[in-house]
Amino acid sequence: YTQQATNSIANQTPMLSDASSLGLANSAANTYENTLPAIGQQMYGAGQVGASQINGYMNPFQQQVINATLGQINNQNQQQQNQLQGNAVAAGAFGGDRLGVAQGVLGGQQALATNQTLAGLNSQNYSQALGAAQQQAGLNLSALNNQGNLALGSAQGAQNAYGQQLSAAEQA
């Protein structure tokens, strides 16, 4: 009776060893599988591009560019106004109603041109920032996708090892 119990325990020792390895393999697989939902949640947010991300890529010197451009535009506008007044003086119409109307029309055209130029500068800055933010979002998604694939591959490898050890334990 004592000999049988000893033989029975001795025969189970390899299986107990396999069972503990199976537990480790299963634990590793569960750890990797538990990281997949977290990676998925990160991927959901990583692909979104909002105002804060775009603002991070805006040209920090935009206002200096606008100020320099406005300086040039204002200088040109003043030259055009002076030329209009000079033409009026040459025609003997300086101070008349026609000069006031001509100055108003010229001022409106100048304001339109100025606003178009500033809109173009701001649009260019925004487009550049949006492109950079979208590119970064794509890189973030790619990195998280790779991380997810690695976790999934590790989990599958651990599950395969678990299955092989389980088969070996059943055959023993």
Side-chain angles (χ1 to χ4, degrees), residues 64-84:
Q64 288 87 343
V65 171
I66 289 173
N67 290 343
T69 303
L70 276 177
Q72 285 181 311
I73 289 172
N74 289 337
N75 184 31
Q76 290 173 354
N77 289 349
Q78 189 59 48
Q79 289 175 9
Q80 290 171 353
Q81 288 290 339
N82 290 343
Q83 184 179 5
L84 180 65

Side-chain angles (χ1 to χ4, degrees), residues 111-157:
L112 182 62
T114 299
N115 290 334
Q116 287 175 343
T117 301
L118 294 179
L121 289 173
N122 286 322
S123 176
Q124 181 183 14
N125 187 29
Y126 179 81
S127 294
Q128 173 271 324
L130 177 62
Q134 288 174 330
Q135 181 180 14
Q136 184 60 52
L139 292 172
N140 291 347
L141 280 174
S142 178
L144 286 170
N145 187 36
N146 290 340
Q147 186 180 6
N149 287 338
L150 287 173
L152 183 61
S154 295
Q156 289 171 341

